[in-house]
Amino acid sequence: MKTSSGFYRSRIAGSGSYLPEKVLTNKDLEKLVDTNDEWIRERTGIAQRHIAAEGEYTSDLGLKASQIALEQAGMQASEIEAILFATVSPDQVMPNTACEMQRKIGAPKCMALDISAACSGFVYGMSIADQFIKTGQYNNVLVVGAEVLHPYVDYTARDTCILFGDAAGAVVLKRAEDEEDSEIYSSHLAADGEISDLFVLPAGGSKLPFSQKVLDERAQFVMMKGREIFKHAVRTMSQACDLALKTNDMQPEDVSWIIPHQANVRIIEAVAKHFGVSMDKVVVEIEDMGNTSAATVPVALDKAIKDGRIQRGQNIILTAFGAGITSGSLIMRY
Ligand code: UT7
């Protein structure tokens, strides 16, 4: 059904998530760097992260989450017309991870594209998918956020190694039928390349190809200015939520759930405070998985759907920020 503005509506038909079996606890990290469980919990809210097994790649994590999402949607992979795969930890530089997963899942007729927007990647992907569905170009899009970050983490650097983990989440976004009361109201994407130096993975691109120098300088690992990112995270996610409400003439009380990027529980609390809502309206899944970049939002979304917190008919906001600095929000009736 088209809306009064002449566009089709998109709805989440199914969701899925996958966390690798192996777990790295705060106690495990105490043996690697000068840190402790209490500091990590208090300063980040994280207790453990999941680590992909040897030979388990980003496309494999995405595949597992996507298969669950398709099952919930009651669809076959062959019905998918587009795969949008948000990741900063692709299986390899080329071909893209979306194509790797396309082969594994068996979706021969679709287009397949990676989205590189770091932790905002899934929100970017949902917005792009929604545009395709709204205009009628596609009926079914698989949007995936998946990361195997552990190879990019320096387990001698205590400011970063405590944060990151591996995970995948996926949704099937589908054109809504007449009787279905779900809709993506709007999405708002932003970027600020002026502060791109706050969070970087310097090596592996054309600017700094792999060499002995890269290894000597440990430039193959993520590096960040944590305190600076913290401030920008709170500001950009708060602004993105404000814009979502203003665009739709809504108030915070019209929203049942906020699903923010899970980077640090203190960032999440600050966004909730800005929004004027209590933490019981915020989906927080960081304790069990840490920061899994593009996967945090779809994993949190899926967990809250599966355990019944999120119900059909409720309004929810997704919001994220990440390296770039990218940010965004998406508001929908689930
Ligand atoms: O997806 C986006 C990616 N990144 C982020 O979102 C990160 C955002 N930033 C953060 O989450 C926080 O800034 C961190 C968790 C990274 C750090 O927390 P903080 O409260 O900002 O700590 P800080 O950097 O201000 O450091 C405070 C102290 C320092 O010691 P001194 O200088 O006061 O003696 C650090 O050396 O804590 C020390 N410290 C640690 N201590 C124990 C830093 N990391 C650790 C650690 N264990 N793992």
Side-chain angles (χ1 to χ4, degrees):
M1 186 191 79
K2 288 185 177 177
T3 61
S4 54
S5 56
F7 291 121
Y8 292 104
R9 290 183 287 115
S10 329
R11 79 191 289 263
I12 292 177
S15 66
S17 58
Y18 170 73
L19 297 172
E21 204 179 310
K22 184 179 162 191
V23 158
L24 185 68
T25 65
N26 293 349
K27 288 276 172 211
D28 295 330
L29 287 170
E30 284 179 10
K31 293 176 202 141
L32 302 176
V33 288
D34 179 17
T35 191
N36 59 77
D37 178 51
E38 194 188 348
W39 192 96
I40 301 172
R41 282 177 192 268
E42 266 180 22
R43 305 306 292 168
T44 70
I46 300 168
Q48 63 175 33
R49 327 92 199 110
H50 294 253
I51 304 292
E54 183 90 35
E56 194 178 33
Y57 308 125
T58 306
S59 59
D60 299 312
L61 272 57
L63 174 70
K64 286 190 171 133
S66 298
Q67 285 169 330
I68 299 167
L70 282 168
E71 194 183 333
Q72 190 193 340
M75 286 171 59
Q76 301 297 316
S78 55
E79 295 174 72
I80 293 295
E81 293 156 295
I83 297 173
L84 300 178
F85 200 112
T87 189
V88 284
S89 51
D91 288 10
Q92 66 266 311
V93 173
M94 189 178 76
N96 71 30
T97 309
C99 285
E100 293 288 310
M101 199 191 79
Q102 181 206 24
R103 187 186 70 248
K104 290 175 183 175
I105 205 165
K109 285 181 286 188
C110 72
M111 71 89 133
L113 173 74
D114 280 11
I115 295 173
S116 178
C119 311
S120 310
F122 180 76
V123 175
Y124 268 56
M126 286 287 281
S127 176
I128 295 167
D130 182 42
Q131 313 311 316
F132 276 124
I133 290 172
K134 270 185 175 152
T135 55
Q137 176 136 3
Y138 297 131
N139 291 317
N140 308 307
V141 182
L142 186 56
V143 188
V144 185
E147 305 282 6
V148 174
L149 293 175
H150 78 265
Y152 306 102
V153 173
D154 183 351
Y155 287 98
T156 67
R158 67 176 182 175
D159 63 327
T160 48
C161 76
I162 57 162
L163 297 175
F164 300 104
D166 306 337
V171 304
V172 176
L173 209 62
K174 201 173 187 307
R175 182 192 293 178
E177 304 294 341
D178 287 355
E179 69 281 3
E180 291 167 338
D181 186 31
S182 303
E183 179 172 2
I184 291 180
Y185 298 126
S186 65
S187 54
H188 306 273
L189 306 179
D192 185 357
E194 291 294 332
I195 48 173
S196 59
D197 63 323
L198 294 184
F199 188 21
V200 295
L201 201 168
S206 57
K207 191 169 154 187
L208 188 57
F210 285 113
S211 65
Q212 188 57 47
K213 185 169 173 278
V214 165
L215 300 180
D216 293 345
E217 293 176 1
R218 306 182 80 75
Q220 76 273 31
F221 297 126
V222 289
M223 297 172 187
M224 66 175 192
K225 297 179 183 157
R227 269 187 235 180
E228 284 296 300
I229 297 178
F230 192 108
K231 281 186 274 178
H232 287 288
V234 174
R235 185 175 55 77
T236 55
M237 289 203 288
S238 298
Q239 284 173 350
C241 289
D242 288 347
L243 193 55
L245 289 185
K246 195 171 165 217
T247 305
N248 295 285
D249 201 16
M250 289 166 81
Q251 304 301 319
E253 50 273 23
D254 298 323
V255 175
S256 297
W257 293 101
I258 305 172
I259 307 176
H261 171 47
Q262 320 270 309
N264 184 320
V265 76
R266 291 184 295 131
I267 295 174
I268 297 173
E269 284 164 356
V271 172
K273 192 173 167 200
H274 171 91
F275 208 67
V277 298
S278 65
M279 285 298 285
D280 55 14
K281 288 182 87 175
V282 185
V283 178
V284 183
E285 294 292 334
I286 193 169
E287 187 178 2
D288 172 51
M289 67 173 175
N291 182 347
T292 60
S293 188
T296 70
V297 172
V299 171
L301 173 69
D302 179 56
K303 286 191 175 291
I305 290 171
K306 295 285 156 59
D307 67 19
R309 274 174 287 176
I310 293 178
Q311 298 284 325
R312 287 284 179 199
Q314 289 182 332
N315 293 330
I316 61 176
I317 292 188
L318 314 181
T319 185
F321 79 99
I325 296 291
T326 57
S327 59
S329 66
L330 181 142
I331 182 163
M332 70 172 107
R333 184 172 55 241
Y334 173 65

